[in-house]
Amino acid sequence: MILEVAILDVIPGEEDNFERAFQTAQEIIASMNGYISHELQRCIEKSNRYILLVKWETLEDHTEGFRKSDKYHEWQTLLHHFYDPFPTVEHYHQTL
């Protein structure tokens, strides 16, 4: 299992619109091969910051299967205009 971690800084004032768009976008990611689960959490100290945690069966399920799919373009259209700056995405595997 791979954990995708993305820190999402949303343009201030767009948080409600982002959350509404994410309601639709989460259906896209949940439909992908290799998807296990996800969480979106909002930062307490910085209210326009979110963390997205997505569990995938393999790294390739995310980087190849999702990111190179037509559904990823739908995801981009729904969400990418909310970010400033564009998020860095990292992948982790459990060690203990």
Side-chain angles (χ1 to χ4, degrees), residues 48-92:
N48 69 312
R49 177 170 285 171
Y50 296 79
I51 187 168
L52 175 61
L53 306 170
V54 184
K55 292 181 181 178
W56 297 95
E57 290 179 15
T58 69
L59 178 62
E60 293 74 23
D61 287 330
H62 178 231
T63 59
E64 301 292 320
F66 179 54
R67 284 196 176 165
K68 293 185 178 179
S69 72
D70 290 337
K71 289 187 176 192
Y72 182 69
H73 295 293
E74 293 176 48
W75 174 273
Q76 285 179 307
T77 300
L78 284 166
L79 299 177
H80 285 194
H81 63 281
F82 288 110
Y83 306 138
D84 185 26
F86 194 77
T88 299
V89 177
E90 298 178 319
H91 300 92
Y92 296 81

